[in-house]
Structures are given as structure tokens and as C-alpha cells.
Amino acid sequence: MTTMHVDRVGSGPFPRGGLIALAGRAIGAVPPPAQVLAGIISVQVGAALAKQLFGALGSVGTVALRLFFAAVVLLVVWRPSFRLGRPAWTVVIGYGLVLGAMNLCFYLALAKIPLGVAVTIEFIGPLAVALLGSRRLLDGLWALLAAGGVVLLTEGRGDLHLAGILFALGAAVCWASYILLSAALGRHTDDGGGLALGMALAALMVAPVGIADSGTALLEPWVLAVGLGVALLSSVIPYSLELEALRRIPPRVFGVLMSLEPAVAALVGLIVLGEILGPVQWVAVLLVVAASAGATRTAGGAAT
């Protein structure tokens, strides 16, 4: 299975130099499973922090701010070349559009439904990619298990907003497309340059809508500070942690660890946001986690 969030895919090592080299050595001292878990927690805390901005900016303004800061950080770190051939630019543009749409759908879902529910539904996207084309009976079982989890999730409590569920499903479709485009991006660009350019395009795509929706509220100092924190928690920190972990553990093991993400999202939603899931919804989350872990574990090491 692939890496499991919106901007955590790269095709080369994290750049080393100065403070980055020092940070890399510190990260390298941490056991790989702890690195992966820390990355998952960082992403979900970043999402919870972003949700705190909704009252001031709305979901669209928050997406715009988050993508802007993520793009700035990645462009500074990777310093990508703009001299790309037409096939490479085609992939980068498609990647950026999908990345922007995925973030937008996910944050619109967060405005309507709990974090744990949104992430669990969104997780169907990468799970579908992992099972795509398989004809094994066991993989059919994982698919049914995940489908059962989503059904329980939507039926387990009556106050889930339909629009939030639909936005989360849209994010799942975008996530699946993002994974497939990430593989093409790795073939056509070097290191993290394609990632940085794609993030910049995603930011340019969402920024006009975010500015129109939020206006001058985007320039409030505390809003800018929180937006930068969201970008770091959701992009730079987990990205570097996972790249280090992937150097030391097989992709299959990495994928199994990443399958914990829906459960971690539900816990972060409970602790940080006070979002309480019912017993049936917790069972649903664990079903999706089990399906993802099982599909990854039986994939025979074919993960990207």
C-alpha cells in the first residue's frame, strides 16, 4: 500500500543540509514503527487544528491557507526545476488538480462530520487501489469487510450529515486517483520536485475561492500562525518521518502500520475536538482498519 495522506509521497530521499541534516539524524535515531505512528498522529492533529480555523475562515479558506504554506515549504526545501517535458507537466498538472480537489473535499467533509468518520470513509480510496484488479477470494473478503465498516459507520448514528459523507466519498475517489498519479509522478520527475510543483498548483487552484470566501480574515496574525502549524503538521513532519521509516522497513510493513490511521483519527477527534463516536461506529472504524491491514499484509510486498 502507498503512503496514506494528501502530500506524503516522494520519489527520493529528503534533502540533507544544515538544519535539515541535523533533523534527519535526530529522526533516524527513532525506531521506524514509532516514526510511522508519530507521522500518523501529526497528520491527524494537523487536521484537528485545521478544524479549529473553520469558525474564522470556513473550510475553503482553511484549505487555501494550508495548501499555500505547504507549497511554500516544499518549494523552499526541494527547489524544483521548471524545465520539464510535456509528459511530465501533464502528470504534474493532473496531480496538482487532484491534490487540490482531495484537500477541498476532505476539509468540506470535516466541517460536517467527525474527523474519525471522515478519515475512515476517505480511507476506502487507497484500500480500493490496493485491491484493484485482484481476483483472490481473500481480497474479496477484505473488500466486504471494509464495505461493511462503511455501512455501519453511516448507520451507527443518525446525526451524520449526508453532505459530509458525500464529501468524504469524494475525497476517497480523489485519494485513489492521487495514488495512481503519484506513481506516474515518480517516473517523470526527480526527488520531491514534482510534489512541490503539484502542491503549488493545488494552492493556486484553491486560493481564489478561499480568498473570495474568507477575505481579509486570512491575514490575521493568529490565523497565519495556525495555518503554518497545520501545514507543518500535515506535510513536512509526517513526510520526513515516513521517508526515514521507509528506508528501514519493507513497504508492506509500512502499509500495515499506516492502516491504523482511521483509528488514530477517531482518537484524536475524541481527545482534541471532543467528537464522540458511538460503539457501532468504533466497530466500523476497526473493521476498516482490519480490512486495510489485511489487504496490505496479503499483498505479497507489492506496495509502492
mmCIF file of all heavy atoms in Angstrom, residues 96-128:
data_model
loop_
_atom_site.group_PDB
_atom_site.id
_atom_site.type_symbol
_atom_site.label_atom_id
_atom_site.label_comp_id
_atom_site.label_asym_id
_atom_site.label_seq_id
_atom_site.Cartn_x
_atom_site.Cartn_y
_atom_site.Cartn_z
ATOM 1 N N GLY A 96 -1.614 17.973 -9.359
ATOM 2 C CA GLY A 96 -1.964 19.155 -8.587
ATOM 3 C C GLY A 96 -3.462 19.374 -8.494
ATOM 4 O O GLY A 96 -3.985 19.720 -7.421
ATOM 5 N N LEU A 97 -4.173 19.151 -9.593
ATOM 6 C CA LEU A 97 -5.631 19.322 -9.589
ATOM 7 C C LEU A 97 -6.299 18.319 -8.656
ATOM 8 O O LEU A 97 -7.206 18.673 -7.882
ATOM 9 C CB LEU A 97 -6.178 19.173 -11.012
ATOM 10 C CG LEU A 97 -5.787 20.270 -12.009
ATOM 11 C CD1 LEU A 97 -6.322 19.948 -13.390
ATOM 12 C CD2 LEU A 97 -6.305 21.630 -11.548
ATOM 13 N N VAL A 98 -5.845 17.071 -8.718
ATOM 14 C CA VAL A 98 -6.419 16.047 -7.841
ATOM 15 C C VAL A 98 -6.077 16.334 -6.383
ATOM 16 O O VAL A 98 -6.917 16.183 -5.484
ATOM 17 C CB VAL A 98 -5.924 14.643 -8.258
ATOM 18 C CG1 VAL A 98 -6.255 13.610 -7.183
ATOM 19 C CG2 VAL A 98 -6.561 14.243 -9.583
ATOM 20 N N LEU A 99 -4.853 16.771 -6.137
ATOM 21 C CA LEU A 99 -4.428 17.101 -4.784
ATOM 22 C C LEU A 99 -5.288 18.222 -4.195
ATOM 23 O O LEU A 99 -5.733 18.152 -3.041
ATOM 24 C CB LEU A 99 -2.956 17.515 -4.802
ATOM 25 C CG LEU A 99 -2.257 17.772 -3.469
ATOM 26 C CD1 LEU A 99 -2.285 16.530 -2.603
ATOM 27 C CD2 LEU A 99 -0.820 18.213 -3.710
ATOM 28 N N GLY A 100 -5.539 19.270 -4.999
ATOM 29 C CA GLY A 100 -6.385 20.355 -4.533
ATOM 30 C C GLY A 100 -7.808 19.903 -4.272
ATOM 31 O O GLY A 100 -8.410 20.257 -3.250
ATOM 32 N N ALA A 101 -8.368 19.111 -5.194
ATOM 33 C CA ALA A 101 -9.738 18.630 -5.019
ATOM 34 C C ALA A 101 -9.858 17.709 -3.808
ATOM 35 O O ALA A 101 -10.856 17.758 -3.073
ATOM 36 C CB ALA A 101 -10.187 17.896 -6.284
ATOM 37 N N MET A 102 -8.849 16.881 -3.570
ATOM 38 C CA MET A 102 -8.876 15.963 -2.434
ATOM 39 C C MET A 102 -8.873 16.729 -1.116
ATOM 40 O O MET A 102 -9.664 16.436 -0.210
ATOM 41 C CB MET A 102 -7.677 15.026 -2.508
ATOM 42 C CG MET A 102 -7.582 14.038 -1.369
ATOM 43 S SD MET A 102 -6.281 12.811 -1.647
ATOM 44 C CE MET A 102 -4.828 13.858 -1.764
ATOM 45 N N ASN A 103 -7.990 17.709 -1.004
ATOM 46 C CA ASN A 103 -7.958 18.525 0.206
ATOM 47 C C ASN A 103 -9.269 19.260 0.414
ATOM 48 O O ASN A 103 -9.782 19.344 1.535
ATOM 49 C CB ASN A 103 -6.800 19.516 0.132
ATOM 50 C CG ASN A 103 -5.488 18.926 0.566
ATOM 51 O OD1 ASN A 103 -5.141 18.962 1.732
ATOM 52 N ND2 ASN A 103 -4.749 18.357 -0.368
ATOM 53 N N LEU A 104 -9.803 19.812 -0.653
ATOM 54 C CA LEU A 104 -11.040 20.568 -0.552
ATOM 55 C C LEU A 104 -12.191 19.669 -0.097
ATOM 56 O O LEU A 104 -12.949 20.020 0.820
ATOM 57 C CB LEU A 104 -11.357 21.200 -1.904
ATOM 58 C CG LEU A 104 -12.462 22.247 -1.940
ATOM 59 C CD1 LEU A 104 -12.171 23.385 -0.974
ATOM 60 C CD2 LEU A 104 -12.632 22.787 -3.355
ATOM 61 N N CYS A 105 -12.330 18.500 -0.710
ATOM 62 C CA CYS A 105 -13.393 17.572 -0.316
ATOM 63 C C CYS A 105 -13.238 17.123 1.134
ATOM 64 O O CYS A 105 -14.216 17.059 1.886
ATOM 65 C CB CYS A 105 -13.393 16.350 -1.237
ATOM 66 S SG CYS A 105 -14.055 16.637 -2.882
ATOM 67 N N PHE A 106 -11.993 16.842 1.534
ATOM 68 C CA PHE A 106 -11.764 16.364 2.893
ATOM 69 C C PHE A 106 -12.113 17.428 3.924
ATOM 70 O O PHE A 106 -12.783 17.157 4.931
ATOM 71 C CB PHE A 106 -10.308 15.923 3.053
ATOM 72 C CG PHE A 106 -9.985 15.420 4.433
ATOM 73 C CD1 PHE A 106 -10.530 14.239 4.907
ATOM 74 C CD2 PHE A 106 -9.131 16.132 5.268
ATOM 75 C CE1 PHE A 106 -10.246 13.776 6.184
ATOM 76 C CE2 PHE A 106 -8.834 15.679 6.541
ATOM 77 C CZ PHE A 106 -9.393 14.491 7.002
ATOM 78 N N TYR A 107 -11.705 18.661 3.696
ATOM 79 C CA TYR A 107 -11.997 19.722 4.663
ATOM 80 C C TYR A 107 -13.476 20.085 4.672
ATOM 81 O O TYR A 107 -14.024 20.443 5.713
ATOM 82 C CB TYR A 107 -11.132 20.943 4.369
ATOM 83 C CG TYR A 107 -9.745 20.844 4.949
ATOM 84 C CD1 TYR A 107 -8.938 19.741 4.716
ATOM 85 C CD2 TYR A 107 -9.216 21.854 5.737
ATOM 86 C CE1 TYR A 107 -7.670 19.637 5.237
ATOM 87 C CE2 TYR A 107 -7.937 21.777 6.275
ATOM 88 C CZ TYR A 107 -7.173 20.648 6.014
ATOM 89 O OH TYR A 107 -5.909 20.548 6.547
ATOM 90 N N LEU A 108 -14.137 20.009 3.521
ATOM 91 C CA LEU A 108 -15.586 20.215 3.490
ATOM 92 C C LEU A 108 -16.295 19.108 4.263
ATOM 93 O O LEU A 108 -17.313 19.351 4.929
ATOM 94 C CB LEU A 108 -16.084 20.265 2.045
ATOM 95 C CG LEU A 108 -15.720 21.534 1.263
ATOM 96 C CD1 LEU A 108 -16.038 21.352 -0.216
ATOM 97 C CD2 LEU A 108 -16.448 22.753 1.828
ATOM 98 N N ALA A 109 -15.766 17.896 4.199
ATOM 99 C CA ALA A 109 -16.328 16.797 4.994
ATOM 100 C C ALA A 109 -16.121 17.046 6.485
ATOM 101 O O ALA A 109 -17.025 16.817 7.299
ATOM 102 C CB ALA A 109 -15.692 15.469 4.581
ATOM 103 N N LEU A 110 -14.925 17.524 6.852
ATOM 104 C CA LEU A 110 -14.631 17.805 8.262
ATOM 105 C C LEU A 110 -15.580 18.835 8.850
ATOM 106 O O LEU A 110 -15.848 18.830 10.056
ATOM 107 C CB LEU A 110 -13.199 18.307 8.416
ATOM 108 C CG LEU A 110 -12.068 17.279 8.408
ATOM 109 C CD1 LEU A 110 -10.752 17.980 8.751
ATOM 110 C CD2 LEU A 110 -12.330 16.158 9.394
ATOM 111 N N ALA A 111 -16.069 19.746 8.017
ATOM 112 C CA ALA A 111 -16.989 20.762 8.502
ATOM 113 C C ALA A 111 -18.351 20.173 8.852
ATOM 114 O O ALA A 111 -19.136 20.802 9.567
ATOM 115 C CB ALA A 111 -17.153 21.854 7.446
ATOM 116 N N LYS A 112 -18.634 18.951 8.379
ATOM 117 C CA LYS A 112 -19.963 18.359 8.560
ATOM 118 C C LYS A 112 -19.969 17.136 9.463
ATOM 119 O O LYS A 112 -20.982 16.852 10.109
ATOM 120 C CB LYS A 112 -20.532 17.950 7.189
ATOM 121 C CG LYS A 112 -20.631 19.074 6.176
ATOM 122 C CD LYS A 112 -21.707 20.076 6.533
ATOM 123 C CE LYS A 112 -21.878 21.115 5.440
ATOM 124 N NZ LYS A 112 -22.908 22.130 5.797
ATOM 125 N N ILE A 113 -18.870 16.360 9.492
ATOM 126 C CA ILE A 113 -18.849 15.091 10.221
ATOM 127 C C ILE A 113 -17.572 14.987 11.052
ATOM 128 O O ILE A 113 -16.605 15.696 10.788
ATOM 129 C CB ILE A 113 -18.959 13.884 9.264
ATOM 130 C CG1 ILE A 113 -17.824 13.896 8.239
ATOM 131 C CG2 ILE A 113 -20.316 13.855 8.574
ATOM 132 C CD1 ILE A 113 -17.848 12.712 7.276
ATOM 133 N N PRO A 114 -17.539 14.096 12.053
ATOM 134 C CA PRO A 114 -16.339 13.959 12.894
ATOM 135 C C PRO A 114 -15.112 13.529 12.104
ATOM 136 O O PRO A 114 -15.213 12.863 11.068
ATOM 137 C CB PRO A 114 -16.754 12.888 13.914
ATOM 138 C CG PRO A 114 -18.229 12.942 13.958
ATOM 139 C CD PRO A 114 -18.664 13.290 12.559
ATOM 140 N N LEU A 115 -13.933 13.893 12.632
ATOM 141 C CA LEU A 115 -12.661 13.576 11.992
ATOM 142 C C LEU A 115 -12.511 12.076 11.758
ATOM 143 O O LEU A 115 -12.102 11.643 10.668
ATOM 144 C CB LEU A 115 -11.517 14.104 12.862
ATOM 145 C CG LEU A 115 -10.087 13.764 12.439
ATOM 146 C CD1 LEU A 115 -9.778 14.353 11.071
ATOM 147 C CD2 LEU A 115 -9.087 14.271 13.477
ATOM 148 N N GLY A 116 -12.788 11.269 12.769
ATOM 149 C CA GLY A 116 -12.624 9.820 12.631
ATOM 150 C C GLY A 116 -13.502 9.231 11.550
ATOM 151 O O GLY A 116 -13.087 8.329 10.811
ATOM 152 N N VAL A 117 -14.718 9.745 11.418
ATOM 153 C CA VAL A 117 -15.639 9.265 10.383
ATOM 154 C C VAL A 117 -15.134 9.673 9.006
ATOM 155 O O VAL A 117 -15.116 8.864 8.068
ATOM 156 C CB VAL A 117 -17.058 9.820 10.633
ATOM 157 C CG1 VAL A 117 -17.998 9.423 9.491
ATOM 158 C CG2 VAL A 117 -17.606 9.321 11.962
ATOM 159 N N ALA A 118 -14.706 10.931 8.871
ATOM 160 C CA ALA A 118 -14.230 11.416 7.577
ATOM 161 C C ALA A 118 -13.018 10.628 7.096
ATOM 162 O O ALA A 118 -12.945 10.219 5.931
ATOM 163 C CB ALA A 118 -13.881 12.907 7.676
ATOM 164 N N VAL A 119 -12.057 10.393 7.982
ATOM 165 C CA VAL A 119 -10.837 9.674 7.591
ATOM 166 C C VAL A 119 -11.155 8.219 7.253
ATOM 167 O O VAL A 119 -10.600 7.657 6.302
ATOM 168 C CB VAL A 119 -9.784 9.755 8.713
ATOM 169 C CG1 VAL A 119 -8.597 8.839 8.412
ATOM 170 C CG2 VAL A 119 -9.295 11.192 8.869
ATOM 171 N N THR A 120 -12.059 7.608 8.009
ATOM 172 C CA THR A 120 -12.406 6.203 7.744
ATOM 173 C C THR A 120 -13.049 6.052 6.369
ATOM 174 O O THR A 120 -12.705 5.140 5.604
ATOM 175 C CB THR A 120 -13.342 5.664 8.831
ATOM 176 O OG1 THR A 120 -12.710 5.794 10.104
ATOM 177 C CG2 THR A 120 -13.664 4.197 8.586
ATOM 178 N N ILE A 121 -13.984 6.939 6.041
ATOM 179 C CA ILE A 121 -14.615 6.877 4.719
ATOM 180 C C ILE A 121 -13.591 7.175 3.629
ATOM 181 O O ILE A 121 -13.530 6.492 2.597
ATOM 182 C CB ILE A 121 -15.797 7.860 4.643
ATOM 183 C CG1 ILE A 121 -16.905 7.430 5.608
ATOM 184 C CG2 ILE A 121 -16.344 7.932 3.216
ATOM 185 C CD1 ILE A 121 -18.058 8.411 5.707
ATOM 186 N N GLU A 122 -12.750 8.187 3.845
ATOM 187 C CA GLU A 122 -11.732 8.552 2.861
ATOM 188 C C GLU A 122 -10.760 7.408 2.624
ATOM 189 O O GLU A 122 -10.235 7.245 1.518
ATOM 190 C CB GLU A 122 -10.983 9.798 3.353
ATOM 191 C CG GLU A 122 -10.034 10.373 2.325
ATOM 192 C CD GLU A 122 -9.078 11.383 2.918
ATOM 193 O OE1 GLU A 122 -8.797 11.308 4.127
ATOM 194 O OE2 GLU A 122 -8.582 12.237 2.165
ATOM 195 N N PHE A 123 -10.532 6.596 3.637
ATOM 196 C CA PHE A 123 -9.568 5.508 3.552
ATOM 197 C C PHE A 123 -9.986 4.434 2.549
ATOM 198 O O PHE A 123 -9.169 3.619 2.119
ATOM 199 C CB PHE A 123 -9.396 4.869 4.929
ATOM 200 C CG PHE A 123 -7.991 4.459 5.244
ATOM 201 C CD1 PHE A 123 -7.047 5.410 5.565
ATOM 202 C CD2 PHE A 123 -7.607 3.129 5.224
ATOM 203 C CE1 PHE A 123 -5.752 5.059 5.869
ATOM 204 C CE2 PHE A 123 -6.313 2.769 5.522
ATOM 205 C CZ PHE A 123 -5.380 3.728 5.843
ATOM 206 N N ILE A 124 -11.254 4.435 2.158
ATOM 207 C CA ILE A 124 -11.723 3.484 1.151
ATOM 208 C C ILE A 124 -10.991 3.688 -0.174
ATOM 209 O O ILE A 124 -10.802 2.744 -0.947
ATOM 210 C CB ILE A 124 -13.247 3.632 0.958
ATOM 211 C CG1 ILE A 124 -13.982 3.294 2.256
ATOM 212 C CG2 ILE A 124 -13.758 2.728 -0.166
ATOM 213 C CD1 ILE A 124 -13.694 1.896 2.776
ATOM 214 N N GLY A 125 -10.536 4.922 -0.442
ATOM 215 C CA GLY A 125 -9.817 5.194 -1.688
ATOM 216 C C GLY A 125 -8.549 4.385 -1.831
ATOM 217 O O GLY A 125 -8.403 3.599 -2.785
ATOM 218 N N PRO A 126 -7.580 4.516 -0.904
ATOM 219 C CA PRO A 126 -6.362 3.715 -1.028
ATOM 220 C C PRO A 126 -6.602 2.226 -0.886
ATOM 221 O O PRO A 126 -5.904 1.423 -1.497
ATOM 222 C CB PRO A 126 -5.466 4.240 0.106
ATOM 223 C CG PRO A 126 -6.372 4.964 1.026
ATOM 224 C CD PRO A 126 -7.482 5.514 0.188
ATOM 225 N N LEU A 127 -7.604 1.843 -0.104
ATOM 226 C CA LEU A 127 -7.919 0.417 0.027
ATOM 227 C C LEU A 127 -8.397 -0.143 -1.310
ATOM 228 O O LEU A 127 -8.019 -1.254 -1.704
ATOM 229 C CB LEU A 127 -8.979 0.219 1.111
ATOM 230 C CG LEU A 127 -9.436 -1.217 1.372
ATOM 231 C CD1 LEU A 127 -8.259 -2.110 1.729
ATOM 232 C CD2 LEU A 127 -10.485 -1.250 2.481
ATOM 233 N N ALA A 128 -9.216 0.636 -2.016
ATOM 234 C CA ALA A 128 -9.690 0.197 -3.334
ATOM 235 C C ALA A 128 -8.527 0.027 -4.308
ATOM 236 O O ALA A 128 -8.496 -0.926 -5.096
ATOM 237 C CB ALA A 128 -10.701 1.201 -3.884
#
